[in-house]
Amino acid sequence: MEATRANPHFLVNRSRVRLFGLSFDDCIRVFFGGNAVVSIIVLGLITFFLFREGSGFFGQNRQNLIVYRQAGLEYVDFIRAQQDDHTALTRYLSDLRLRQFTYATEHAPMSVAAANASLARFDDFAGQFGDTVEPLRTLVSDLTEQASAIKTKFTVMEDKKEERRQLLDEGRAGDAAKVVITPVDFAAELKPILGTLPAYRAASAEFAQGLERVLATAPTLPTPELQARMDRFKLHTRDYLAGFPAVTTQLEAWDYTKPVPASQAFTSFIFGREWLTASFWQDWYGVIPLVVGSLMVSLVALLLAVPLGVGAAVYVNQIATPAEQKFIKPCIEFISAIPSVVLGFFGIAILGQALRALSQVSWLSWVPGFPYSERLNILTAGCLLALIAVPTIFTLAEDALNNVPRAFKEASFALGATRLQTVIKIIVPASLSGIISAVLLGLGRVIGETMVVLLCAGNRIAIPDFTAGLAVITQPVHTMTGIIAQEMGEVVQGSIHYRALFVVGMLLFFLSLGINYVAQRIVRRYRISIG
Amino acid sequence: MVTTAPILMDTRPVAPASTFRPTTTTPAAAGPGAQAAPAETLIDIDHVDFFYGATQALHDVSLRIENRKVTAFIGPSGCGKSTLLRCLNRMNDLIDGTRIAKGSIRIRGVDIHQHDVDVIELRKQVGMVFQKSNPFPKSIYENITYGLRLQGVNNKARLDEVVEKSLRGAALWDEVKDRLDASGLGLSGGQQQRLCIARAIAVEPEVILMDEPCSALDPVATAKVEELIQELRTRFTIVIVTHNMQQAARCSDKTAFFYMGKLIEYADTRDIFTKPANAQTEAYVSGRFG
């Protein structure tokens, strides 16, 4: 103390290393703070980029829908839908033929030739039924060509406009003026299409008559069960026929100038049931098949991963000996070290094959959906995704179990509870919110997983057929992550397709954000309740 | 008026500290509120050596705990009193590597560490209240009924009855009767501890072990728990571990003093605090060490 008083210079900051006027301590602070700031900036940039690229989609999609209407594609689609419904009915007949054939060869033993011969009358009926649509078919193919032509003209005009704009941007006004833009006069172009309405009425009437006539010749089938199906077919056909006037009314009421509301650009994306790109006719960007695909795969994955992950966590935390713990924990955590592409590869090469072989074992045929032939489907992808979710769920659930105060366990034992009773009634309920958030984070992990679903989900862009019941899990689907990975490399930058993929990315982003947010909330509440 | 059998003590010379002589209780020196009825031995601890792995925590401990009496274990930290308490309902089984190397603990003549003893049944008979109050993160009602439900009692009327009886028994009924469905964790520290006591008595055990039940409570809550112990002593045999010598003096009938894993002296509480037979006991109770 005396020395300090004697030397007044003691308190003066003596020559320290300074960098840009900052002391050493300041530099360290800037370094660590800077790292945090960088990550926040990167997150902000990603979000901004996602939104900037994605936001243009809705305008373009609306334009897409407007062209669909103005070029008359919508008009033609009314008639095409009518034709497609007929095709569905023909498929029903083919199915019925297959059933009769099976019946003939198996229950009333006949040779294949004899069976086919016995079906001659039915085949004749089915053939005639198929031919009734002919008048409509000719009309539709004509109209399709005309509407496509209008759309092409419009596309050409848009391309020219774009060319001129680019030239102007480059400052070549002279060249720009030379670009010829032929404006499309939709009213004039649509005249021939609209002019076919009388022809349609005639074709439709002929078609209806044909159906009535053929239906009257429907053969009776050998068993009540088959006959019931035939009756159902007749019923469907009558319903179909009853719908004809409605189509005519639709065509008559159709107006190409009717505006497309801005909200439709959004709803046709969010609720759209079709994702159809690079089509010769009309592109649709409906995200429902992808969302359903992602959710189905995640659901199957969670159904498998939750019991596995939570069960393993309970075992390791409550029951296992220290030696078992030392072995099991690293093993499960090691799963997350497997690259997902390797898992996907394994899924294609081994799991898909094995599951399909299993499905074809005869004594397992009671399992819904068995046997199946699509090797890559929801089930295969779900099984592999479960493997990806297990380490996440296991680790977090084990943490949650670990955080249950030892005192609860002791109190339970002291009251005469067995180990199992303690686990079920005290430990798991006390850590339940922790376990739920573990499951949610597992879900987030699974929904965002790309490689495995791209390789193993089958990549068929369609809403799976839920009328199949549980067998739905043996159908192939496509997912939100898969479609981005698959199509992003091929699309033209700035095109509507490109932007649609970004919007799918945004949707994924919000989904993950929501899941994580809910999980965090639950964890926080859980911390409070445990104290 | 002789209340106890002579206490079994090892007569062999052991550690230097064991210069004390076996002590017997004097007939007149009963604890506060002593009963005239002759006391019977409920728990007979007989020459017990206890190990945590390679570490010996109890050295040749022998004492007899009397039925319907409050017995206090006192001694400095690490002297083995909690270990002995947790042997009485085999809570030490939960810790790996623990064992009783020698001796036995008999409750009503049954050696509770035999392999054929149902430890679940034992713990129903020997309830426990812990140092830190540990109600389950459930409602007050569910906390009380937990033990009964484990035994398969699901009759609502019976459960209601037990909840009221136990909470009244733990002097908590009036404070919580309007919020039985509220979480047990929402109570104050003292209330939580009384809830734990209520939970323990709900299964009607014969013995209640209390491991420093008041060490985390303020003086007012402590007084309430002590009052409660006085009421419970008529129905249960209570063994209480405490650091608080006043507490031992106030609410126990008999006191055992432990030091370094050995039982130094066991006698009527009044004798321990007024005329201890052993110099170490005297030093401890008079506050000269520990």
Side-chain angles (χ1 to χ4, degrees):
Chain A
M1 287 297 268
E2 287 306 310
T4 314
R5 282 192 195 131
N7 181 5
H9 298 294
F10 178 78
L11 295 171
V12 176
N13 201 345
R14 264 168 298 174
S15 62
R16 290 227 177 108
V17 183
R18 285 188 165 265
L19 207 65
F20 303 115
L22 296 171
S23 71
F24 186 63
D25 282 357
D26 287 340
C27 285
I28 288 181
R29 230 183 57 195
V30 166
F31 174 73
F32 286 110
N35 285 332
V37 168
V38 164
S39 49
I40 292 171
I41 290 175
V42 168
L43 178 69
L45 279 178
I46 290 174
T47 319
F48 170 74
F49 180 66
L50 206 58
F51 276 77
R52 202 197 59 184
E53 294 297 308
S55 59
F57 168 76
F58 296 106
Q60 285 185 332
N61 195 27
R62 186 168 176 227
Q63 190 60 37
N64 179 35
L65 291 170
I66 290 173
V67 175
Y68 175 66
R69 174 162 293 166
Q70 292 191 337
L73 272 66
E74 191 181 31
Y75 182 86
V76 182
D77 265 346
F78 291 141
I79 311 175
R80 282 163 71 102
Q82 194 181 7
Q83 193 190 344
D84 290 346
D85 287 348
H86 179 264
T87 315
L89 285 169
T90 347
R91 269 205 299 275
Y92 191 100
L93 277 185
S94 321
D95 174 65
L96 197 53
R97 185 186 192 280
L98 187 68
R99 285 171 189 279
Q100 287 184 70
F101 183 77
T102 319
Y103 170 78
T105 47
E106 284 177 12
H107 297 273
M110 278 188 221
S111 67
V112 173
N116 274 328
S118 75
L119 284 172
R121 200 171 123 54
F122 183 83
D123 288 344
D124 190 35
F125 165 71
Q128 282 184 18
F129 185 86
D131 290 342
T132 49
V133 79
E134 216 47 61
L136 213 56
R137 187 174 289 154
T138 332
L139 188 67
V140 166
S141 69
D142 284 354
L143 285 174
T144 303
E145 257 169 50
Q146 291 175 26
S148 299
I150 302 175
K151 194 180 174 189
T152 314
K153 271 187 193 165
F154 178 82
T155 317
V156 169
M157 179 186 80
E158 289 291 300
D159 286 352
K160 292 280 182 194
K161 274 188 188 165
E162 176 65 22
E163 192 185 339
R164 178 183 281 181
R165 199 181 57 75
Q166 275 178 6
L167 286 173
L168 280 174
D169 282 354
E170 287 166 23
R172 291 155 63 186
D175 290 337
K178 278 186 217 152
V179 176
V180 185
I181 297 176
T182 337
V184 183
D185 180 0
F186 285 112
E189 299 280 357
L190 278 173
K191 265 214 177 90
I193 291 186
L194 291 174
T196 58
L197 192 56
Y200 167 75
R201 286 209 186 93
S204 177
E206 193 189 336
F207 179 32
Q209 275 171 11
L211 282 177
E212 291 281 5
R213 194 179 56 244
V214 174
L215 216 52
T217 66
T220 39
L221 302 189
T223 69
E225 198 256 331
L226 290 171
Q227 185 58 40
R229 283 182 188 276
M230 186 52 144
D231 291 341
R232 207 172 310 143
F233 169 74
K234 284 183 186 165
L235 207 66
H236 284 320
T237 313
R238 298 223 177 278
D239 284 350
Y240 173 58
L241 271 167
F244 279 20
V247 179
T248 318
T249 328
Q250 256 181 329
L251 291 173
E252 282 163 353
W254 184 75
D255 175 14
Y256 80 97
T257 55
K258 203 173 140 209
V260 176
S263 64
Q264 205 178 327
F266 181 72
T267 52
S268 75
F269 173 78
I270 290 290
F271 304 114
R273 299 167 64 86
E274 249 183 312
W275 180 278
L276 198 63
T277 55
S279 130
F280 81 100
W281 181 245
Q282 169 68 11
D283 289 354
W284 295 107
Y285 301 96
V287 82
I288 289 288
L290 307 175
V291 172
V292 170
S294 279
L295 290 183
M296 285 301 295
V297 171
S298 309
L299 189 74
V300 170
L302 279 193
L303 281 180
L304 293 169
V306 168
L308 280 176
V310 176
V314 167
Y315 182 78
V316 165
N317 193 266
Q318 296 294 324
I319 300 166
T321 62
E324 283 176 311
Q325 279 185 8
K326 263 188 201 144
F327 177 71
I328 298 173
K329 269 177 90 163
C331 275
I332 294 182
E333 277 153 15
F334 179 74
I335 296 175
S336 59
I338 304 174
S340 59
V341 69
V342 174
L343 274 182
F345 177 67
F346 168 79
I348 292 179
I350 297 167
L351 186 70
Q353 296 279 18
L355 281 176
R356 184 172 60 181
L358 185 71
S359 83
Q360 283 159 353
V361 174
S362 59
W363 52 267
L364 277 176
S365 59
W366 54 270
V367 180
F370 279 18
Y372 62 86
S373 54
E374 288 281 358
R375 187 165 51 107
L376 303 178
N377 54 33
I378 297 177
L379 185 64
T380 314
C383 287
L384 288 165
L385 283 184
L387 212 55
I388 285 180
V390 160
T392 309
I393 295 178
F394 169 80
T395 310
L396 293 169
E398 215 251 322
D399 274 357
L401 290 168
N402 227 2
N403 284 337
V404 175
R406 196 186 155 74
F408 289 167
K409 194 172 161 183
E410 290 197 331
S412 174
F413 278 123
L415 285 165
T418 61
R419 195 197 289 270
L420 188 67
Q421 285 170 327
T422 305
V423 167
I424 292 175
K425 295 193 173 188
I426 300 295
I427 310 264
V428 170
S431 58
L432 192 62
S433 44
I435 292 175
I436 290 175
S437 72
V439 170
L440 281 177
L441 290 173
L443 174 67
R445 179 87 178 72
V446 163
I447 280 209
E449 172 54 43
T450 307
M451 214 57 214
V452 165
V453 289
L454 185 62
L455 291 173
C456 298
N459 298 355
R460 188 183 74 183
I461 311 174
I463 301 173
D465 177 17
F466 284 98
T467 56
L470 275 180
V472 73
I473 62 166
T474 60
Q475 295 174 12
V477 290
H478 214 316
T479 56
M480 292 191 277
T481 47
I483 201 110
I484 296 176
Q486 188 179 24
E487 296 184 348
M488 195 49 107
E490 302 163 0
V491 295
V492 181
Q493 193 169 2
S495 70
I496 177 171
H497 189 180
Y498 169 84
R499 295 197 192 284
L501 292 177
F502 267 92
V503 181
V504 174
M506 272 162 64
L507 195 63
L508 261 173
F509 180 71
F510 283 124
L511 240 126
S512 300
L513 207 66
I515 291 169
N516 275 287
Y517 175 73
V518 173
Q520 296 288 344
R521 283 289 296 266
I522 291 175
V523 167
R524 210 173 308 148
R525 223 183 53 192
Y526 158 78
R527 293 244 164 86
I528 293 166
S529 77
I530 288 290
Chain B
M1 285 291 281
V2 173
T3 54
T4 43
I7 293 161
L8 293 167
M9 289 304 266
D10 193 356
T11 48
R12 287 170 298 167
V14 263
S18 66
T19 49
F20 65 96
R21 297 160 63 79
T23 318
T24 50
T25 45
T26 43
Q35 305 292 305
E40 49 169 324
T41 302
L42 182 67
I43 304 175
D44 184 0
I45 301 165
D46 186 11
H47 298 285
V48 167
D49 278 3
F50 182 86
F51 286 84
Y52 287 110
T55 318
Q56 187 164 8
L58 293 176
H59 297 266
D60 198 40
V61 171
S62 293
L63 67 101
R64 288 179 171 177
I65 292 168
E66 290 164 19
N67 197 14
R68 305 275 164 102
K69 287 278 170 67
V70 179
T71 307
F73 291 176
I74 60 169
S77 294
C79 69
K81 56 195 190 305
S82 285
T83 302
L84 181 61
L85 189 79
R86 291 167 68 92
C87 280
L88 301 184
N89 65 347
R90 288 180 57 179
M91 285 302 275
N92 284 327
D93 290 10
L94 300 181
I95 302 164
D96 290 320
T98 57
R99 68 200 157 88
I100 288 187
K102 185 170 80 64
S104 66
I105 297 173
R106 289 187 295 274
I107 296 182
R108 289 202 192 285
V110 178
D111 183 349
I112 60 169
H113 284 85
Q114 287 299 326
H115 284 295
D116 57 351
V117 166
D118 182 356
V119 66
I120 304 300
E121 202 52 47
L122 169 70
R123 288 181 189 147
K124 282 179 197 161
Q125 293 302 319
V126 185
M128 189 159 187
V129 175
F130 296 83
Q131 180 171 5
K132 190 172 173 300
S133 62
N134 55 357
F136 298 126
K138 295 171 179 280
S139 71
I140 293 169
Y141 187 92
E142 285 172 62
N143 262 288
I144 306 285
T145 56
Y146 180 76
L148 284 174
R149 283 187 198 274
L150 289 180
Q151 295 172 22
V153 179
N154 277 316
N155 180 341
K156 180 86 171 88
R158 166 109 177 83
L159 292 177
D160 286 348
E161 184 193 318
V162 170
V163 167
E164 180 170 349
K165 192 174 154 210
S166 309
L167 284 172
R168 281 191 192 284
L172 193 60
W173 175 252
D174 291 332
E175 290 161 59
V176 302
K177 64 183 173 193
D178 298 326
R179 46 172 175 148
L180 292 177
D181 290 328
S183 169
L185 291 169
L187 299 174
S188 72
Q191 286 173 328
Q192 283 192 15
Q193 195 58 296
R194 277 180 285 148
L195 176 63
C196 291
I197 294 173
R199 183 174 67 185
I201 63 180
V203 291
E204 294 286 331
E206 228 172 319
V207 185
I208 301 175
L209 309 176
M210 296 187 177
D211 191 357
E212 301 181 37
C214 301
S215 65
L217 302 183
D218 65 58
V220 177
T222 302
K224 281 193 173 167
V225 171
E226 285 178 10
E227 212 173 283
L228 178 57
I229 292 172
Q230 290 311 312
E231 283 165 29
L232 294 176
R233 61 204 291 275
T234 57
R235 288 164 54 207
F236 303 97
T237 304
I238 295 173
V239 185
I240 178 169
V241 165
T242 179
H243 269 297
N244 180 335
M245 275 173 289
Q246 281 75 35
Q247 187 171 58
R250 278 193 299 266
C251 61
S252 70
D253 300 307
K254 309 221 26 159
T255 298
F257 171 61
F258 291 83
Y259 184 60
M260 306 274 281
K262 297 186 186 72
L263 175 62
I264 306 297
E265 188 167 352
Y266 177 49
D268 279 356
T269 299
R270 188 176 296 174
D271 290 347
I272 289 268
F273 284 94
T274 54
K275 40 181 179 180
N278 183 282
Q280 272 181 317
T281 312
E282 190 183 358
Y284 186 73
V285 297
S286 59
R288 264 181 278 144
F289 90 103

